[in-house]
Amino acid sequence: MPETTTDFCVIGGGPAGMTLALLLLRSGCRVTVVERSRSLAREYRGEILQPGGLAVLDALGVLAPARERGGYELARFRLSEGSRTLIDIDYRRLGPPYDYLLSVPQAHLLQALLDACRAYESFHYLPGEKISELILEKRVVRGVVTSGRRTIGAHCVVGADGRYSKTRKLAGLDYRRSEDFDFDVLWFRLPAAAPAPVAHIFRAEGTPMLAYPSYPGSVQLGMTLRHKGYADLSRHGLGHVKQRLRWAAPPYAELIDEHITSMRDFSLLDVFAGDTRPWVRAGLALIGDAAHTHSPLGAQGINLAVQDAAVIHPILLETLRSGAASTELLAEFEANRRPAIDRLFRIQRLQGKAMLSRSRLAGFLRPKAAALVGRGPIAAKITEQIAYGRERIRITETRIEEDEPQQDSRIG
């Protein structure tokens, strides 16, 4: 018998898992979150929130406390090649209240979510625990066993444990890695007392460099490299690496010279996209990167995670009301969400080819395509879709005791 029982066991205490936990707690459910890290003091990469994610977090009351801990509003997203600005997306076109990107340390967001969850007696948080096996009964997932040999019985298990999801692996769900985004990113930080309120991609001969303000008082930069290309780059020494960085992002050349003093100043991220099919099985569902992994070029990771949580939330409540987290009921999540995710995969595939290609044809077409999408009605439409996705997602305000939700989570 399980040592403890809960309505929903969420694996992973990142933005997807903690947002879902809070939504379920607000609806009167019992929730246990299993998180492998012992504290929030760990390395993060995703820090940018798009307006769609801001809207969900604001509705949950956690955006303001996250912002109070510190962050930067970014008004623009810019792509440049040499001295030419190819794309300059102005988020102020969207109108208030979410007419900006927000660069906020992920630890600030997670702390705000964790504090909100801890206000509920039905919340249990297990830091420093990993999932080791699924509890199965006639091929239906009934709970989990953790690395500490703790058994947790659950009406439904939700895997929100990222792109290397152990939940996905244990569930036997097929995950396919896409070669379209098979590259690495070399990350580093530079001090910046008053960073410009812009997320910027500098493109130089097929080597895009992403730069954005990172709280407190710094700029985070990431240079794209071909997959496993760092070994070739680094064998020439630190001076050669710094030369490549200065060439890729000229506005930061002096800061690179001054503050990059060791190879230990860098961290390397293996970037890939991937998709799980299906996202669900009886008693279990995947959300966020565990279900669908995206390139960082569009700064969509946290946005998609919190939107996934908002979309699956009313479906999970329905499974609890019905008494069974059946494959058929859980599949409604994928049916609702799949079109938006597949569309984003297509868009990011085109983005990647446009930014990474070194061909003459791509070089000729890039400024012409950028001019087309950078102004006029099409620019406003593209800004809306980047900011919110295929549709604006709103949370469902309902409790498990109620028969009907007050508002659907998918507003077209």
Side-chain angles (χ1 to χ4, degrees):
M1 292 292 291
E3 293 177 14
T4 60
T5 59
T6 188
D7 295 324
F8 297 98
C9 183
V10 178
I11 311 301
M18 295 306 298
T19 300
L20 179 59
L22 182 55
L23 283 162
L24 293 168
L25 290 164
R26 285 161 52 103
S27 294
C29 303
R30 298 173 298 163
V31 181
T32 297
V33 172
V34 178
E35 166 53 44
R36 63 181 298 166
S37 297
R38 295 185 179 278
S39 78
L40 300 181
R42 54 187 189 267
E43 189 72 17
Y44 300 96
R45 284 289 162 248
E47 292 187 342
I48 294 182
L49 279 163
Q50 295 276 357
L54 295 174
V56 172
L57 296 169
D58 199 15
L60 287 172
V62 296
L63 180 59
R67 293 195 59 169
E68 286 171 2
R69 292 179 168 88
Y72 297 122
E73 283 191 12
L74 312 181
R76 311 183 87 91
F77 175 87
R78 187 173 294 151
L79 169 65
S80 61
E81 186 167 25
S83 60
R84 293 182 300 177
T85 296
L86 300 182
I87 295 176
D88 192 0
I89 296 175
D90 186 353
Y91 276 76
R92 289 169 295 188
R93 289 174 175 165
L94 296 170
Y98 311 113
D99 54 351
Y100 59 93
L101 297 166
L102 181 65
S103 174
V104 60
Q106 200 172 126
H108 291 188
L109 173 60
L110 294 180
Q111 189 63 63
L113 285 163
L114 185 56
D115 289 346
C117 287
R118 282 175 168 158
Y120 294 86
E121 292 183 0
S122 55
F123 175 64
H124 298 280
Y125 184 64
L126 304 177
E129 293 269 14
K130 304 175 186 177
I131 181 176
S132 61
E133 60 183 279
L134 298 176
I135 300 171
L136 299 176
E137 181 181 303
K138 297 181 179 179
R139 299 184 61 81
V140 177
V141 177
R142 299 295 190 188
V144 304
V145 180
T146 71
S147 54
R149 306 311 300 170
R150 186 194 304 264
T151 59
I152 304 167
H155 164 76
C156 185
V157 173
V158 180
D161 46 345
R163 57 185 184 152
Y164 298 112
S165 173
K166 182 68 175 293
T167 309
R168 180 181 65 219
K169 182 178 180 180
L170 291 172
L173 298 174
D174 184 39
Y175 181 79
R176 298 185 181 182
R177 176 168 169 155
S178 169
E179 299 304 317
D180 291 317
F181 300 100
D182 203 19
F183 59 91
D184 297 335
V185 177
L186 189 66
W187 288 104
F188 60 101
R189 289 178 184 269
L190 296 172
V198 178
H200 201 154
I201 293 180
F202 302 91
R203 192 191 178 282
E205 295 298 323
T207 308
M209 172 86 83
L210 172 65
Y212 65 87
S214 180
Y215 186 88
S218 67
V219 176
Q220 185 161 199
L221 298 100
M223 183 173 73
T224 61
L225 304 169
R226 63 179 176 80
H227 187 46
K228 297 185 178 179
Y230 179 64
D232 289 338
L233 177 67
S234 61
R235 68 185 175 88
H236 296 290
L238 180 62
H240 177 71
V241 176
K242 291 172 68 171
Q243 182 180 6
R244 283 285 303 275
L245 297 176
R246 291 193 301 267
W247 175 65
Y252 297 99
E254 291 185 8
L255 288 173
I256 290 168
D257 269 339
E258 182 179 356
H259 295 284
I260 300 299
T261 60
S262 166
M263 291 293 193
R264 290 189 295 272
D265 293 329
F266 305 121
S267 60
L268 191 65
L269 176 67
D270 176 17
V271 172
F272 58 87
D275 189 23
T276 309
R277 290 183 183 262
W279 296 345
V280 304
R281 59 173 288 182
L284 181 142
L286 302 176
I287 64 173
D289 277 350
H292 45 85
T293 312
H294 298 265
S295 159
L297 291 178
Q300 289 286 346
I302 303 178
N303 207 51
L304 297 173
V306 300
Q307 288 181 326
D308 274 6
V311 173
I312 200 173
H313 165 231
I315 296 169
L316 292 176
L317 296 184
E318 183 57 33
T319 69
L320 195 57
R321 291 189 184 101
S322 72
S326 66
T327 303
E328 292 74 20
L329 278 176
L330 291 172
E332 292 181 19
F333 165 58
E334 186 166 358
N336 290 347
R337 193 73 171 129
R338 170 68 69 180
I341 296 303
D342 284 350
R343 185 175 185 279
L344 183 59
F345 274 131
R346 291 192 295 271
I347 291 172
Q348 291 198 320
R349 194 173 296 117
L350 292 173
Q351 286 176 332
K353 289 179 179 179
M355 282 191 257
L356 296 171
S357 176
R358 300 186 183 189
S359 72
R360 289 184 179 181
L361 179 60
F364 174 75
L365 293 177
R366 234 184 325 267
K368 292 173 174 55
L372 179 64
V373 304
R375 52 181 177 263
I378 192 171
K381 183 177 181 181
I382 288 173
T383 303
E384 168 77 18
Q385 292 185 354
I386 291 173
Y388 289 99
R390 185 168 174 260
E391 58 198 349
R392 296 196 180 202
I393 306 296
R394 293 185 173 88
I395 68 170
T396 297
E397 297 285 1
T398 185
R399 292 185 60 81
I400 193 60
E401 296 87 354
E402 299 172 359
D403 291 328
E404 296 295 334
Q406 298 171 11
Q407 180 180 337
D408 191 84
S409 68
R410 301 175 70 247
I411 305 297

